Amino acid sequence: MQLKFNLSLCTGCRLCQLACSAYHERVFNPEKSRLRLIHEYRYNGIHIDAKWCILCKKCEDACPEGAISNNQIWMIVDVEKCTGCYACIEICPMKVIVVGEEGKVLICDFCEGSPRCIEWCPKGVISLKETAIAGDEAVK
Amino acid sequence: MNSFFGKMLFVDLSTKKTEIRDIPTEWVELYTGQKGLGTRILMEDFPVKTDPLSPENRIVLSTSIMAGTIVSSSSKLAMVTKSPHTKTISDGSVGGHIGAELKYTGYDAVLITGKSDELSYLYIDPDKAEIRPASNLKGIGTFETETRLKEMVGDGQVKILSIGPAGEHLVPFSCVCSERYRQLGRGGIGAVMGSKNLKAIAIRGWLDVHVPDIEECMKVVTEIHSKGGITDPENPIYVEGTPCLVALAQESGLLPTRNFQKGTFSEAEKISSDVFTKIRRNKKACFSCTIACGNYVKTGNAEVEGPEYETIALCGACIGNGDPDKIVQFNATCDDLGMDTISAGGTIAFMMEMTEKGIHDFGIRFGETDNALRLLKQIAFREGMGAEAALGTKALSEKCGGNSFAMQIKGLELPGYDPRGSWGMGIAYATAPRGGCHMSAYPIEYEAWGELEPFTYKDKAQLVVKLQNAQFAKFSMGVCDFWPIGSDTLGRLFEITYGGKWPRERVNKVGERIFNLQRMFNVMAGFTRKDDKLPERLHKEVLKDGAPKGIVMPKDAFEKAMDEYFSCRSWDEQGRPTIEKLKELNIEKKLIDEYKKALNG
């Protein structure tokens, strides 16, 4: 399972990030969202970029405490084991691992199968594509 | 826990002092947020006769209770001040993402006073508030200011409010810009920042915003978003944006053309919505907005998010410009220089008519758009003929003549609707607290573009009062104009973000209270019925084409409508709110006492 973004439809409202933080952290705060979104004017017009978990498993390999695993579909953080060393944040190529309550890390879990970002996006930008973890194209 | 932090940042630029102050909960209960709360903060121990460009004037930034939450279109930021252009209270709001950004700093509002001894910018985040030097940005346009300020702060995600050369040179219709193409356009708030040597405000937040019950909030917002058209892919505000109004205005004969000499423009088709849709590159939404009205367009010569209808009307038809490329250039130039397109277009149109009528030669005539584009820069730097234009329509007419066709009210140039094509709009313009403005009420939707007879004042006073109260509640409790929301829904959204019970009666009362509060300010500043008047042209000259063709909008009928309006508002015949009315609205005793003193003194 992986998120897929059609950025040509994105208007930059950030409802995806708000839904993410509301569902998982019970607050509204894009900084605590497990996906990144940039939609802003630069010198050459609008710059749009999104980052999301591509299931590359680099965080799992980097965690010295064995706190990160996966269930073949999404990544799982064992908050009991997480010491807040942030080795995972360092290594994450998409920079989508964020720090939550008590310094524990947060990684996208696809809302356990029905991502709220997809549900809340008003323009149909985000969808799901099925891929095996650490498999083929996702790692590229 | 709710979405109100109860804190405001106080900044004195003269002493460089910053401190965190509490916001009384009572103020939220009475005035809610954004426009209302900002007005209340401005008026706390504020001498209303203050010179708008003196250090004693204040700028209040205020967010809505819903800002930063998942409620659609709820994160606009209001700025409230005493206007240098109209000398009235003046507030505006800006979209984009900066309202949410301020909320995430943990402040509901910011109160700025004083004057910095050098050009400065204010930096605000949850941990610090600092006044920092910005003399390297002197004379720089708002586009480059934003880019350079992000580098100076060292954070590309910081959100910025800035002024351009127009604000620095105290042009009375200079605006404040954010994220390049979002503006607090009207009333000259840019000049107030300029008078304080405040080039910009940079904001970065990362704190949580809470609501009383997050599950309930998500459930209710899901239900509400699915209704009312704001997620409808066919919504014209999404599909076309505000340029969709060009065809409507033309058809109704109220598209202000050649300084309101006509209500239809022969080149209207060349500047219609289709034309701008063709050059659109992207859609853009403000924070949390499901609609996305923004259109990023690009021509061979310029790019802009826009142009909005008002810009097309005032910088197109009103100056005799039927070239869409030049409208885009006009728009982008004004944004970069930090100038209101409505007042800039309106003032230039006035100068064109003055020249053509031979009353005063400003060297510019209708259709000379290249000349107008050059003039914009001269206005911002007050050079050459720009020094004259920088006075604005009212002051210019007092100096050079042409008073009967100086299309302004209380000094504020009229926006893109000729009230001869929709008479209720005349009452709305005359009574809007910040002068000739279309945001206090939009009766045109019910008249020229609705079911009501447009060419009569009958029942219009009541309509305008009702619409103004609704708008003031909406802009205070907190959603954007483009959400056609009812009081029940607005109240429900307030309940799930703030708490308590907010039935429609309470919501309507909020709007009425804030409208009266702003009127109190203006009355204390010396405004009465004599200032609630329309430019003479509208009463004396009859449009010769379009739907209003040949129909006279007589002055005595207007005055009678104003009598009705004041009576509807329970104000006296001079348009002053009565003490009984203010008490009925639960406006605080302290404010009523100040008001009484001003009336007697």
Side-chain angles (χ1 to χ4, degrees), chain B residues 124-144:
Chain B
I124 306 169
D125 76 21
D127 299 330
K128 54 185 175 291
E130 293 173 354
I131 300 157
R132 300 174 177 174
S135 49
N136 58 324
L137 299 175
K138 189 173 166 54
I140 305 285
T142 63
F143 299 164
E144 196 182 330

Side-chain angles (χ1 to χ4, degrees), chain A residues 10-15 18-19 22 26-32 38-43 45-46 48 120 122-123, chain B residues 68-70 97 104 180-181 204 206-210 215 218 222 238 282 284-285 287-292 296 305:
Chain A
C10 180
T11 60
C13 68
R14 303 177 82 175
L15 282 169
L18 288 168
R26 307 174 62 77
V27 296
F28 295 114
N29 188 349
E31 295 286 327
K32 288 189 179 166
I38 291 173
H39 196 287
E40 63 185 24
Y41 289 107
R42 294 190 182 166
Y43 267 125
I46 293 186
I48 308 172
W120 279 82
K123 306 297 179 199
Chain B
T69 73
I70 204 157
H97 293 242
Y104 294 132
R180 285 177 88 97
Y181 305 119
R204 183 74 166 97
W206 52 76
L207 299 182
D208 297 338
V209 169
H210 295 266
E215 273 87 22
M218 299 299 271
T222 302
Y238 170 65
N282 287 88
K284 192 150 175 47
F287 189 89
S288 84
C289 179
T290 56
I291 306 170
Y296 169 62
E305 186 181 312

